[in-house]
Amino acid sequence: MLEGLEITTLAAEGKAMGRWNEQVVFVPMTVPGDVVDVQIRCKRRRFMEGYVVRYVRRSPLRTEPFCAHFGVCGGCKWQNLPYEEQLRLKTDQVRDQLTRIGRIELPEIRPCLASEQTRYYRNKLEFTFADRRWLTFEEVASGADLEASPAAGFHIPGMFDKVLDIETCHLQPEPSNTIRLETKRYCLERGYTFHNAREHTGFLRNLVVRTASTGEVMVIVVFGEERPQAIADVLDHLAERFPEITSLCYVVNTKWNDSTSDLEVRCHRGRDHIFEEMEGLRFKVGPKSFYQTNSRQAYELYKVARDFAGLKPEDTLYDLYTGTGTIANFCARRCRRVVGIEYVAEAIEDARVNAALNGLENTRFYAGDMKAVLDDAFVAANGRPDVIILDPPRAGVDEPVLEVIRRAAPERIVYVSCNPATQARDLALLDADYRVEAVQPVDMFPHTHHVENVVKLVRRERSPLDGQ
């Protein structure tokens, strides 16, 4: 055990850390300024990991977590930090990664853009049913005779078969909590079995709730067995109990894994989609559609990206990794043409539907692997881009794609990233041709270490002697 370890900073992925004889020690659920006695549970050559046995001194930065499940469910790990401190740390995280990994000249990093809502900000949550709930360490230590009752909640981090029963989650607005609790109550009352991940048994498996800014609600119940009468019973009860549900769907998943992307979603009541709205634009969101999970803050993020793009009426915009075309359609009225590329074919269909829904006739969307679709011939056929918006997955942009972008030579590039580390790597690869003009972190997920970052790049002026 280490006695009197001072927690000095937060490191990658929001891990709190201190140093003991120059060796890094990671200690979860602590904040900078805490002094703690730590029981080490894992030793490596370069670091150790442990958990708090006793607080010698609590940091003045600490604030009281508002959720009863804090520290157990694995989400919202920064609830014990004031929101202003979270924003400061996210700004520092972006600055550190762009500087340390990118090693390029940077302007002053703008302060992280705060989320107007810090609770109940998510528009989508997925819950898991389990035949036995996870017992907390405190419950086990109490020695009490505890009933292993079923659960409807979240997986314990790193444990596919352990589920924490959730009473109140502060991430999604009502009727999310009420729908989950009523589904659990009714199914227990009717004697329906809950899923057992190890034995691959049980009728109830997952519950997805989507709540839109328009007030519409989608509920998707995932069943582990094809039992039509029982399925209809559960869904009819939810429809009667919650008339605000505008889209009530279900999936039958008899696979060993929880993924439903390859399975049919059947609509039981209402429409098979809901609508989101943004600046008068309507976006159709189906059961498998991707939409930014913080609707209000997505609007702020897209406004930053559009502002950085500096679009003119005659411009051609390429929106790479366009997803369901939200950014592309959001920007379409500011320029002559928008070209979107995305590897998920279903997402491209959504993008086309949303363009038609909003009367946008200057958009073109293409499905396929970015490396295969975006080449010099594609640029020649669709017109050289004046502006490119990049919003890649966490792994960043493949180097061959960056080479095509450099040859296409847009005047401006707007790089939206959920992973500043891979963003920094890509910025370094673009640095010979583009300088970073502005950096704006955006907080999409309060009380977590996650941060979106938007970077504006402007093509460098070339000397007439360059290339000679």
Side-chain angles (χ1 to χ4, degrees):
M1 187 170 74
L2 308 181
E3 296 184 350
L5 175 72
E6 181 179 2
I7 304 301
T8 55
T9 188
L10 294 175
E13 298 183 359
K15 293 181 179 179
M17 58 167 277
R19 290 185 180 274
W20 188 263
N21 294 331
E22 300 305 314
Q23 189 171 25
V24 169
V25 185
F26 294 114
V27 187
M29 302 306 153
T30 57
V31 302
D34 281 338
V35 178
V36 293
D37 294 342
V38 179
Q39 182 64 54
I40 299 300
R41 62 177 181 83
C42 174
K43 284 187 176 183
R44 295 286 188 269
R45 185 168 63 88
R46 295 185 176 181
F47 66 90
M48 296 183 282
E49 294 184 13
Y51 58 89
V52 175
V53 175
R54 182 175 74 95
Y55 282 91
V56 178
R57 186 175 71 246
R58 293 180 183 269
S59 170
L61 286 178
R62 276 189 165 271
T63 189
E64 191 64 29
F66 51 80
C67 180
H69 305 296
F70 174 74
V72 184
C73 90
C76 307
K77 293 180 180 178
W78 280 7
Q79 279 186 38
N80 53 7
L81 279 170
Y83 188 54
E84 296 74 17
E85 186 67 12
Q86 295 178 32
L87 294 173
R88 186 188 68 78
L89 288 166
K90 292 184 182 190
T91 305
D92 288 349
Q93 175 186 333
V94 168
R95 180 184 298 109
D96 171 69
Q97 292 181 322
L98 295 192
T99 303
R100 180 171 46 83
I101 300 172
R103 297 181 180 275
I104 57 175
E105 185 178 353
L106 295 168
E108 183 176 352
I109 310 295
R110 302 181 185 186
C112 188
L113 191 62
S115 175
E116 180 183 350
Q117 295 174 296
T118 59
R119 304 186 198 183
Y120 306 112
Y121 61 84
R122 287 187 66 102
N123 57 40
K124 179 184 177 183
L125 279 181
E126 180 172 349
F127 304 100
T128 300
F129 295 103
D131 61 347
R132 291 190 172 205
R133 72 179 180 90
W134 169 262
L135 300 177
T136 66
F137 293 116
E138 290 77 11
E139 287 177 320
V140 173
S142 72
D145 187 15
L146 299 169
E147 180 184 359
S149 55
F154 299 124
H155 283 281
I156 296 294
M159 299 183 182
F160 78 97
D161 61 333
K162 309 298 183 186
V163 176
L164 177 70
D165 193 48
I166 298 294
E167 181 63 30
T168 300
C169 179
H170 299 266
L171 283 172
Q172 189 176 28
E174 287 291 4
S176 177
N177 281 309
T178 310
I179 289 174
R180 182 188 70 258
L181 294 172
E182 178 59 20
T183 304
K184 177 188 172 188
R185 184 205 67 77
Y186 183 76
C187 290
L188 287 175
E189 179 185 90
R190 300 284 289 178
Y192 296 130
T193 56
F194 285 27
H195 191 240
N196 183 304
R198 288 193 175 273
E199 297 176 7
H200 195 51
T201 58
F203 176 58
L204 279 170
R205 190 157 181 172
N206 301 98
L207 174 72
V208 180
V209 181
R210 302 187 83 147
T211 50
S213 58
T214 56
E216 296 181 336
V217 178
M218 173 183 285
V219 173
I220 308 163
V221 185
V222 182
F223 299 97
E225 301 167 356
E226 182 72 81
R227 296 171 54 189
Q229 282 191 312
I231 289 172
D233 176 43
V234 173
L235 297 176
D236 286 344
H237 174 74
L238 291 178
E240 181 180 344
R241 174 67 177 78
F242 301 100
E244 61 266 46
I245 296 176
T246 52
S247 174
L248 182 56
C249 304
Y250 72 98
V251 177
V252 177
N253 180 13
T254 58
K255 302 183 303 177
W256 279 88
N257 65 66
D258 283 340
S259 171
T260 59
S261 60
D262 58 336
L263 299 176
E264 179 189 4
V265 180
R266 308 173 200 175
C267 185
H268 183 75
R269 292 272 186 97
R271 301 190 308 260
D272 65 353
H273 59 275
I274 56 178
F275 286 104
E276 282 281 0
E277 286 187 354
M278 189 181 296
E279 249 185 30
L281 297 170
R282 285 167 64 80
F283 297 97
K284 180 183 175 183
V285 180
K288 297 182 182 180
S289 296
F290 171 79
Y291 194 85
Q292 285 281 0
T293 50
N294 186 339
S295 298
R296 289 194 186 183
Q297 195 68 346
Y299 178 44
E300 301 303 322
L301 176 73
Y302 297 159
K303 283 196 296 185
V304 171
R306 187 175 63 188
D307 177 60
F308 280 10
L311 294 168
K312 306 184 201 57
E314 67 275 14
D315 281 348
T316 293
L317 167 66
Y318 279 21
D319 182 26
L320 306 185
Y321 312 93
T322 190
T324 56
T326 312
I327 292 179
N329 289 322
F330 185 70
C331 293
R333 290 173 179 166
R334 301 286 183 96
C335 57
R336 181 167 62 93
R337 180 192 304 132
V338 181
V339 177
I341 305 175
E342 166 63 41
Y343 78 97
V344 180
E346 294 84 356
I348 286 298
E349 286 306 311
D350 284 343
R352 291 169 178 155
V353 167
N354 286 326
L357 184 68
N358 292 289
L360 301 171
E361 298 180 351
N362 62 335
T363 59
R364 300 176 189 172
F365 292 103
Y366 299 88
D369 182 83
M370 191 66 65
K371 297 190 297 296
V373 175
L374 185 69
D375 57 19
D376 295 339
F378 180 92
V379 172
N382 287 274
R384 188 186 73 82
D386 300 286
V387 183
I388 288 180
I389 294 179
L390 300 168
D391 190 3
R394 291 190 62 81
V397 184
D398 290 310
E399 196 164 343
V401 175
L402 291 175
E403 287 304 314
V404 176
I405 291 172
R406 290 175 65 181
R407 288 195 296 273
E411 293 301 317
R412 295 173 299 287
I413 298 173
V414 180
Y415 192 145
V416 181
S417 174
C418 61
N419 186 353
T422 54
Q423 184 185 43
R425 176 204 66 201
D426 295 341
L427 294 179
L429 293 172
L430 291 167
D431 187 55
D433 298 288
Y434 290 87
R435 61 178 174 83
V436 175
E437 188 171 273
V439 180
Q440 177 64 73
V442 181
D443 186 21
M444 301 292 290
F445 304 102
H447 310 300
T448 77
H449 69 276
H450 297 290
V451 60
E452 293 271 334
N453 192 47
V454 190
V455 173
K456 177 181 180 180
L457 300 109
V458 177
R459 191 152 63 99
R460 295 183 185 276
E461 293 184 5
R462 290 294 188 182
S463 164
L465 298 178
D466 286 349
Q468 292 186 9

